[in-house]
Amino acid sequence: MDDLRWPDLARDLDTYGCALIPGLLSPHGCAEIAGWYDDAARFRATVVMVRHGFGRGEYRYFAYPLPEPVAGLRAALYPPLAEITNRWNQVLGEAARFPADHAQFLDRCHAAGQTRPTPLLLRYGPGDYNCLHQDLYGEHVFPLQVAVLLSEPGRDFEGGEFVLTEQRPRMQSRVEVVPLRQGDAVVFPVRYRPVQGGRGAYRVALRHGVSRLRAGRRHTLGIIFHDAQ
């Protein structure tokens, strides 16, 4: 984490609404985490997307206690992201601030009844996709989240690009496609980000998803910092 260039990541989030972290996990670490998918004891719930109109594919929510390195990544990524989100709230004139320590933020979630862990492992096969959505699980929402690609494009799967759309007021939506390799992570907003306009900062809403997988199998680790009701 000490090697990450957070000023550059913050600039990309401000400018494009997402930021790429190359090689956050090693190929060995990616393979290990992807291999957990069939170990049901690690998870609290499984979602088959087609049953809910979310797309096609599956994902599983980890149970507490979170395994390493999932817990370690969640705790280590949170503090610098909290600095960015607090700056965003200040720019937008919002009073809410996030504590510097992730455990303190989780205490806030749990006091409001949001006690279920939200980090998840996603698996896609041929023809699977994830509809554009936002990961909101209760009153307390941390504004940024992280997705780590655990599979290698061109070797493990074809298609399945990470897609981010930005819905700008009175303008056509803007699309960002993030080119991820195995072990790369993308940081992006859960629901909105500030944009500077002629009359000051305003909110633009974002949604994210995954395009149709054409072949193979794709695994992703999702790190969401607020817990669910």
Side-chain angles (χ1 to χ4, degrees):
M1 291 297 165
D2 293 339
D3 294 334
L4 297 183
R5 302 179 65 177
W6 286 107
D8 292 342
L9 296 173
R11 183 197 63 232
D12 286 349
L13 282 164
D14 290 342
T15 305
Y16 307 114
C18 60
L20 177 67
I21 304 176
L24 183 64
L25 291 178
S26 68
H28 174 77
C30 290
E32 179 182 5
I33 296 173
W36 294 345
Y37 194 87
D38 292 318
D39 184 1
R42 295 182 180 272
F43 304 96
R44 65 171 178 84
T46 301
V47 176
V48 179
M49 286 192 261
V50 71
R51 296 177 184 171
H52 306 277
F54 296 163
R56 283 184 50 181
E58 292 184 1
Y59 55 89
R60 288 184 143 179
Y61 289 105
F62 285 100
Y64 276 136
L66 297 177
E68 289 289 350
V70 178
L73 283 172
R74 202 185 192 200
L77 289 167
Y78 173 88
L81 295 181
E83 291 185 16
I84 295 171
T85 59
N86 285 334
R87 176 172 54 81
W88 281 6
N89 279 2
Q90 183 177 9
V91 167
L92 290 169
E94 297 186 0
R97 295 293 184 270
F98 296 92
D101 181 71
H102 187 240
Q104 291 179 311
F105 175 63
L106 286 182
D107 288 342
R108 184 184 299 178
C109 292
H110 295 175
Q114 295 177 217
T115 59
R116 296 185 296 164
T118 50
L120 68 162
L121 194 56
L122 303 99
R123 182 167 72 181
Y124 303 90
D128 290 351
Y129 61 94
N130 199 343
C131 295
L132 294 171
H133 65 284
Q134 298 175 327
D135 293 308
L136 307 174
Y137 297 103
E139 174 188 0
H140 295 279
V141 176
F142 188 74
L144 292 168
Q145 65 190 88
V146 178
V148 187
L149 183 61
L150 303 177
S151 307
E152 177 62 25
R155 183 193 68 194
D156 300 325
F157 69 94
E158 300 287 345
E161 295 86 0
F162 178 87
V163 178
L164 192 71
T165 64
E166 188 172 83
Q167 299 167 299
R168 301 177 295 174
R170 299 177 298 280
M171 300 175 69
Q172 293 181 332
S173 296
R174 186 181 69 87
V175 177
E176 189 83 21
V177 179
V178 183
L180 298 170
R181 310 299 303 184
Q182 184 182 43
D184 291 352
V186 56
V187 185
F188 56 99
V190 173
R191 53 183 174 179
Y192 60 78
R193 72 180 182 96
V195 171
Q196 289 294 334
R199 299 182 179 179
Y202 62 94
R203 297 177 187 83
V204 293
L206 295 101
R207 295 180 182 272
H208 65 279
V210 172
S211 69
R212 177 172 55 90
L213 207 75
R214 293 174 175 81
R217 178 166 285 182
R218 180 190 194 275
H219 287 89
T220 306
L221 171 65
I223 301 175
I224 299 166
F225 297 93
H226 48 275
D227 278 352
Q229 288 181 334

